[in-house]
Amino acid sequence: MTTTTIMTRDEVISTLNNLIETCRDGQAGFQAAVEGVTNPSLKEVFFQYAQQRSLFVSELQGEVRALGGDPQTTGSVAAALHRGWVNIKAAVTGKNEHSILEECERGEDSAVKNYQEALKENLPPSLNSLANRQYQAIVTTHNAVRDWRDRVKVASARA
């Protein structure tokens, strides 16, 4: 028989704050990507992803507050590196859409991993449901970014 350890309130808050940092990084990364691309459709997609992450941050912050905790408001540079979004500014500076998409995909790889880790925790059912819903959206975003990257690569190879 397997026993499940119930997470303490502080552990739940810590897990949610990690997801907040992950979503903040994605929001900032996608906002930076908007500035680096010229394709209007891609600009709109990145803008929508940044808005999605902003919504996720708000949802998670609300849950942290409901638990009596302080939501994470900033991320550290070291943590951003770990979460995969550190090179987006360099890619944006180069204005290379394929490079920008590669960096967005790298950031999304990290977001997927962070959500998978959180979902392994024994979160309360309502929080697990929230994290799972956000995770599914992030996987969909990751796959869409990958598909965009592949289309841009093929288009630039033809040019």
Side-chain angles (χ1 to χ4, degrees):
M1 179 173 168
T2 311
T3 58
T4 350
T5 308
I6 296 173
M7 294 179 76
T8 67
R9 177 180 117 356
D10 288 345
E11 289 170 333
V12 172
I13 289 169
S14 176
T15 297
L16 294 179
N17 274 330
N18 286 336
L19 295 180
I20 289 169
E21 286 185 28
T22 296
C23 290
R24 279 193 180 284
D25 289 342
Q27 179 183 3
F30 285 125
Q31 285 172 337
V34 167
E35 302 303 316
V37 297
T38 55
N39 180 320
S41 297
L42 194 51
K43 277 185 178 289
E44 179 61 27
V45 166
F46 286 152
F47 177 77
Q48 288 173 2
Y49 294 154
Q51 294 300 108
Q52 173 196 64
R53 296 310 156 83
S54 176
L55 173 63
F56 289 176
V57 166
S58 294
E59 291 174 338
L60 293 164
Q61 286 176 328
E63 295 298 336
V64 169
R65 284 186 194 101
L67 290 166
D70 291 323
Q72 185 69 38
T73 55
T74 60
S76 70
V77 173
L81 173 64
H82 174 71
R83 290 188 303 270
W85 282 99
V86 75
N87 294 324
I88 189 68
K89 290 189 184 194
V92 167
T93 301
K95 301 282 187 185
N96 179 307
E97 288 183 351
H98 185 261
S99 295
I100 292 167
L101 284 158
E102 284 181 327
E103 291 308 318
C104 288
E105 184 182 13
R106 196 176 335 273
E108 289 301 272
D109 287 342
S110 185
V112 165
K113 181 180 172 232
N114 290 342
Y115 268 82
Q116 287 171 339
E117 297 283 323
L119 289 166
K120 289 178 188 174
E121 301 292 333
N122 191 24
L123 289 168
S126 66
L127 297 178
N128 190 69
S129 176
L130 171 65
N132 191 51
R133 178 178 51 78
Q134 290 183 354
Y135 168 72
Q136 295 303 323
I138 287 170
V139 168
T140 298
T141 298
H142 171 275
N143 293 342
V145 167
R146 180 198 60 217
D147 293 347
W148 267 98
R149 183 210 62 209
D150 291 348
R151 284 196 302 275
V152 167
K153 184 176 182 179
V154 168
S156 62
R158 290 183 185 151

